[in-house]
Amino acid sequence: MRVLIATMNDGKLRECERLLADVPNLEFETMASLGLWVEVDEDQDTFEGNARKKATEVAAAASIACLADDSGLEVDALAGRPGVYSARYSGPGATDARNNAKLLQELANVPDARRTARFRCAIAVVGANGELLAEADGACEGRIAQEPRGSHGFGYDPVFVPDGYGQTMAELGPETKNTISHRAQAAAALVPLLRDRG
């Protein structure tokens, strides 16, 4: 089964390939390998809705099955923000550094006990004909650190401390992250669904 991973984010691409490596007969294509660029307006109000929309539009453009995810950070003290706006939280031209800086500024007066948060991820796999083949979601609970720490990962990893750990996700490194992350949980739920379709 050929599946296009619908992302231009190299970090996310590497994670997906590692997390789904146990699915037999699964051959990954990338946007780069197909010379494909599809701009999808992620305008849905849930991670699941954005994942389905992205997978559907990219699968139609590529004429092969497509796996897409939408993920982000929900902070309880901010009423769930940044949520589906995580990647563009700091506005036009948002970068990981600017997003993290804005988040820490908004939480400047919030004590550690109230800095609870979670990473959430929804994954959808859609066939070339538009059929929803599989979907799954996952979450990783934790809290927001007082300052960025660590050089691994991407996104909000430098400011997110998962429950049970004293280090940020960016300090823990890929081996640990790939067992506890929101994307790891969603991928683990997706693996048996893809195996059944194989």
Side-chain angles (χ1 to χ4, degrees), residues 91-105:
T95 64
D96 291 348
R98 282 177 47 196
N99 287 340
N100 283 319
K102 177 177 180 178
L103 179 69
L104 292 177
Q105 182 179 13

Side-chain angles (χ1 to χ4, degrees), residues 2-170:
R2 288 174 67 221
V3 175
L4 168 62
I5 300 177
T7 184
M8 298 297 283
N9 181 317
D10 288 339
K12 191 181 286 190
L13 178 62
R14 286 192 299 272
E15 273 188 29
C16 285
E17 289 176 331
R18 279 194 300 263
L19 294 169
L20 297 173
D22 290 339
V23 181
N25 304 316
L26 191 61
E27 178 187 337
F28 292 117
E29 297 285 355
T30 66
M31 306 283 269
S33 71
L34 296 180
L36 185 69
W37 173 252
V38 181
E39 190 76 45
V40 178
D41 185 12
E42 296 180 39
D43 57 0
Q44 304 300 296
D45 57 6
T46 65
F47 295 116
E48 293 82 3
N50 280 328
R52 280 186 220 122
K53 182 178 181 185
K54 193 188 314 184
T56 300
E57 292 189 14
V58 176
S63 299
I64 64 170
C66 177
L67 179 153
D69 89 313
D70 192 35
S71 56
L73 182 69
E74 296 175 338
V75 180
D76 294 323
L78 300 178
R81 294 194 324 270
V84 294
Y85 302 102
S86 292
R88 51 194 187 276
Y89 196 44
S90 58
T95 64
D96 291 348
R98 282 177 47 196
N99 287 340
N100 283 319
K102 177 177 180 178
L103 179 69
L104 292 177
Q105 182 179 13
E106 290 192 327
L107 294 173
N109 298 316
V110 178
D112 285 343
R114 292 188 50 239
R115 296 169 79 94
T116 52
R118 73 208 46 81
F119 274 129
R120 287 199 55 231
C121 175
I123 302 176
V125 182
V126 171
N129 61 357
E131 177 192 2
L132 180 64
L133 302 178
E135 62 182 342
D137 56 40
C140 179
E141 298 287 335
R143 62 182 174 80
I144 304 302
Q146 293 286 344
E147 60 186 9
R149 303 194 310 261
S151 57
H152 300 288
F154 56 94
Y156 296 93
D157 287 351
V159 298
F160 183 83
V161 180
D163 283 353
Y165 294 84
Q167 298 169 292
T168 68
M169 201 75 97

